[in-house]
């Protein structure tokens, strides 16, 4: 149980393209989902907390107009990287927490998306 | 800035060896400490969520301890197998509803 599906797994596209990444909880409902980014040899860095039915909460230094998050249902959150540039190339991964999202509950992760902007 | 540190950065052991890693985290405003195992080309898998000082948790041959007063957790693997090869991540949860991750310990178990 507690499976999270993330698509696509890899994207290679030209500079200026917008890229949408989907994160779905397949067998549970998630009020809260999280979006992380990982640069080489660094830790997973939280970008934003996605809340179903309300606006996402962005971490300091993350541009909300650049990284659009939509959490339209209890099983789906999307991250859109708008007008992507080479510096946006990174590994993006989502996670979801069952139920109300208490932080003593484990997070269930997708497989991640490797984004390469040429 | 809250810092979570893991050591060692990487570890190479032989099959059957027992091993352990360390996670250091802030000792103030502690709420929970998470351990995840992340195999190559797969998603991170939750191992433990620990909340109480002195907690010890076990899953098969893997166990973890927690000291919230001094801000560290140990993860032990008894009799490592090649399938235990992965990156082991710890993450700290404090005053806010978010996890702060360490950079992980990469374990390679050679047959």
């Amino acid at each position: 149980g507690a499976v999270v599906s993330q698509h696509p797994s890899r994207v290679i596209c030209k500079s200026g393209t917008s890229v949408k990444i989907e994160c779905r909880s397949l067998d549970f409902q998630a009020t809260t989902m999280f979006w992380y980014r990982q640069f080489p040899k660094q830790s997973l860095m939280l970008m934003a907390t996605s809340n179903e039915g309300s606006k996402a909460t962005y971490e300091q230094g993350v541009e909300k107009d650049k990284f659009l998050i939509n959490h339209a249902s209890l099983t789906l959150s999307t991250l859109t990287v708008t007008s992507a540039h080479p510096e946006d190339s990174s590994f993006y991964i989502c996670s979801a927490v069952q139920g109300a999202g208490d932080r003593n509950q484990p997070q269930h992760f997708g497989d991640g998306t490797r984004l390469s902007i040429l | 800035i809250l810092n979570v540190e893991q050591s060692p950065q990487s570890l190479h052991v032989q099959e059957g060896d027992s091993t352990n890693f360390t996670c250091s985290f802030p000792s103030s405003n502690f709420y929970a400490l998470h351990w995840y195992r992340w195999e190559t080309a797969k998603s991170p898998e939750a191992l433990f969520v620990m909340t109480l000082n002195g907690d010890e948790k076990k899953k098969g041959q893997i166990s973890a301890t927690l000291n919230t007063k001094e801000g560290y957790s140990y993860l032990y693997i008894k009799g490592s197998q090649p399938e235990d090869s992965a990156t082991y991540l710890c993450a700290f949860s404090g005053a806010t509803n978010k996890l702060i991750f360490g950079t992980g310990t990469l374990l390679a178990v050679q047959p």
Side-chain angles (χ1 to χ4, degrees):
Chain A
V3 178
V4 173
S5 174
Q6 184 174 341
H7 290 284
S9 57
R10 185 167 180 94
V11 180
I12 301 173
C13 57
K14 293 182 179 179
S15 185
T17 307
S18 291
V19 178
K20 181 189 274 190
I21 304 170
E22 290 190 349
C23 181
R24 292 181 186 272
S25 55
L26 297 186
D27 50 2
F28 66 98
Q29 292 185 329
T31 307
T32 305
M33 292 186 175
F34 301 92
W35 288 97
Y36 296 87
R37 180 169 54 185
Q38 185 183 39
F39 291 109
K41 298 192 177 182
Q42 294 188 20
S43 58
L44 292 176
M45 296 294 294
L46 182 66
M47 298 175 65
T49 302
S50 173
N51 305 297
E52 188 270 335
S54 63
K55 291 183 180 180
T57 305
Y58 289 82
E59 294 301 301
Q60 193 173 9
V62 178
E63 300 174 55
K64 58 179 136 184
D65 294 332
K66 175 76 171 177
F67 299 99
L68 299 179
I69 290 173
N70 185 279
H71 195 149
S73 75
L74 286 171
T75 59
L76 174 63
S77 175
T78 60
L79 168 69
T80 301
V81 184
T82 61
S83 187
H85 291 286
E87 59 267 27
D88 299 320
S89 298
S90 188
F91 181 77
Y92 295 85
I93 190 167
C94 69
S95 71
V97 184
Q98 286 185 295
D102 194 280
R103 52 208 158 107
N104 66 3
Q105 295 296 312
Q107 293 188 10
H108 304 288
F109 287 84
D111 288 341
T113 298
R114 175 76 56 192
L115 176 63
S116 301
I117 308 297
L118 305 176
Chain B
I1 296 176
L2 298 176
N3 214 25
V4 176
E5 296 186 356
Q6 292 188 247
S7 63
Q9 198 170 26
S10 65
L11 198 53
H12 290 76
V13 301
Q14 294 293 318
E15 182 175 356
D17 288 349
S18 293
T19 185
N20 64 85
F21 334 127
T22 304
C23 173
S24 301
F25 53 86
S27 55
S28 58
N29 296 316
F30 176 86
Y31 191 89
L33 193 282
H34 294 222
W35 281 101
Y36 293 86
R37 175 171 61 197
W38 194 357
E39 294 179 64
T40 303
K42 294 187 178 180
S43 56
E45 172 199 356
L47 289 173
F48 307 113
V49 179
M50 308 174 81
T51 57
L52 297 176
N53 184 43
D55 241 358
E56 288 189 35
K57 293 208 172 182
K58 189 173 180 181
K59 185 176 184 177
Q61 297 299 98
I62 305 176
S63 60
T65 60
L66 180 68
N67 183 323
T68 60
K69 293 184 178 179
E70 295 182 39
Y72 65 83
S73 175
Y74 293 136
L75 188 80
Y76 299 91
I77 302 178
K78 184 180 176 183
S80 305
Q81 298 297 309
E83 53 266 32
D84 293 321
S85 298
T87 296
Y88 290 82
L89 297 173
C90 70
F92 164 82
S93 177
T96 62
N97 187 28
K98 61 182 183 181
L99 292 183
I100 299 169
F101 281 84
T103 50
T105 293
L106 175 62
L107 173 67
V109 183
Q110 295 182 334

